[in-house]
Amino acid sequence: MGSTVGSFLKKGLGEKYTGTLYNAMGLASIALGANSFVQNMPKSEFPVLFILSLALGGVAGTALDLDGRVQRALSKKAGEGLAKGIISASLLYCVGTFSIVGPIMSALNGDNTFLYTNSTLDLVTSTVFGSTFGIGMVLCAPILFLWQGTFYLIAKLSASAAIMQGTLINELAIVGGVLIISSGLSILNIKDCKTLNYIPALLVPVLWFLCRGLLGL
């Protein structure tokens, strides 16, 4: 809904204002990513885990050429600018605390408060992204649905959801914050870090806690 509304607003904006919004999205991404990192880093019980996650995830993503494949696929259909917008918006929507905790709380307690709060924030954000990058930003919706749906199903089917709570969310938010900063740098054309190559880094904390649980540590 937000992307659709934003795309209509885009039609009334000149190139100068579109460029201004483009830069605003890059700056906002850096600010939000830094905020996620700074807020959650002091809570981390494993302060070097995010470094290990980025290293292992980056190597795996580079080997699979995730960034290149997605960029080429999106650029062919929509252009390079929209590709950057979809990548950055998807990271903003998916790696926030509300986006992870929300579906877990809904699955475990039937409490949808975090989901509603997150959807309201995403409505505003997607409207701005839509006014900057156009109607193609609706492609973020199925990405977010699959992301939150995965956490919902894991929590719903898990006999014990302890692994989905507390410190794991902190570690995911730390890694996610770094990825959001990376996407912001790309939007501003400061440095193309090939952010999608680091997406597997989000799996490393999950595997870490799974291994600890299996080993009884």
Side-chain angles (χ1 to χ4, degrees):
M1 185 186 299
S3 297
T4 302
V5 172
S7 68
F8 284 108
L9 296 177
K10 178 181 174 65
K11 296 178 180 178
L13 296 174
E15 183 177 347
K16 178 174 66 174
Y17 296 104
T18 301
T20 298
L21 286 175
Y22 195 86
N23 290 333
M25 290 300 94
L27 293 171
S29 295
I30 292 176
L32 291 171
N35 181 64
S36 179
F37 182 88
V38 171
Q39 279 194 341
N40 290 280
M41 192 62 194
K43 305 174 186 176
S44 176
E45 297 179 9
F46 311 98
V48 298
L49 181 57
F50 84 96
I51 300 176
L52 180 64
S53 299
L54 291 171
L56 294 178
V59 169
T62 301
L64 296 171
D65 192 23
L66 295 179
D67 190 88
R69 292 182 180 183
V70 173
Q71 289 278 9
R72 287 190 293 271
L74 291 176
S75 295
K76 285 181 181 178
K77 296 183 178 180
E80 183 179 352
L82 179 58
K84 290 182 178 180
I86 291 174
I87 292 169
S88 300
S90 296
L91 286 169
L92 283 173
Y93 299 151
C94 292
V95 301
T97 302
F98 282 165
S99 188
I100 300 172
V101 177
I104 294 173
M105 293 296 292
S106 179
L108 297 180
N109 306 322
D111 183 357
N112 296 317
T113 302
F114 280 4
L115 279 179
Y116 294 149
T117 301
N118 190 60
S119 66
T120 302
L121 294 173
D122 287 347
L123 173 64
V124 177
T125 305
S126 61
T127 301
V128 178
F129 268 102
S131 67
T132 306
F133 299 102
I135 190 62
M137 294 305 297
V138 297
L139 294 175
C140 294
I143 296 174
L144 178 59
F145 176 80
L146 292 174
W147 172 263
Q148 293 188 336
T150 298
F151 279 101
Y152 181 91
L153 288 176
I154 291 175
K156 198 73 172 178
L157 298 175
S158 177
S160 174
I163 188 175
M164 303 301 297
Q165 302 176 9
T167 188
L168 173 58
I169 294 175
N170 293 336
E171 303 302 331
L172 289 174
I174 292 170
V175 176
V178 176
L179 297 184
I180 294 174
I181 293 173
S182 175
S183 69
L185 293 174
S186 178
I187 289 178
L188 294 173
N189 292 318
I190 296 175
K191 172 68 176 178
D192 184 4
C193 299
K194 300 187 182 302
T195 305
L196 283 183
N197 282 346
Y198 292 90
I199 286 295
L202 292 169
L203 295 175
V204 177
V206 177
L207 295 175
W208 169 266
F209 282 95
L210 279 173
C211 290
R212 283 176 54 84
L214 292 174
L215 295 175
L217 299 177

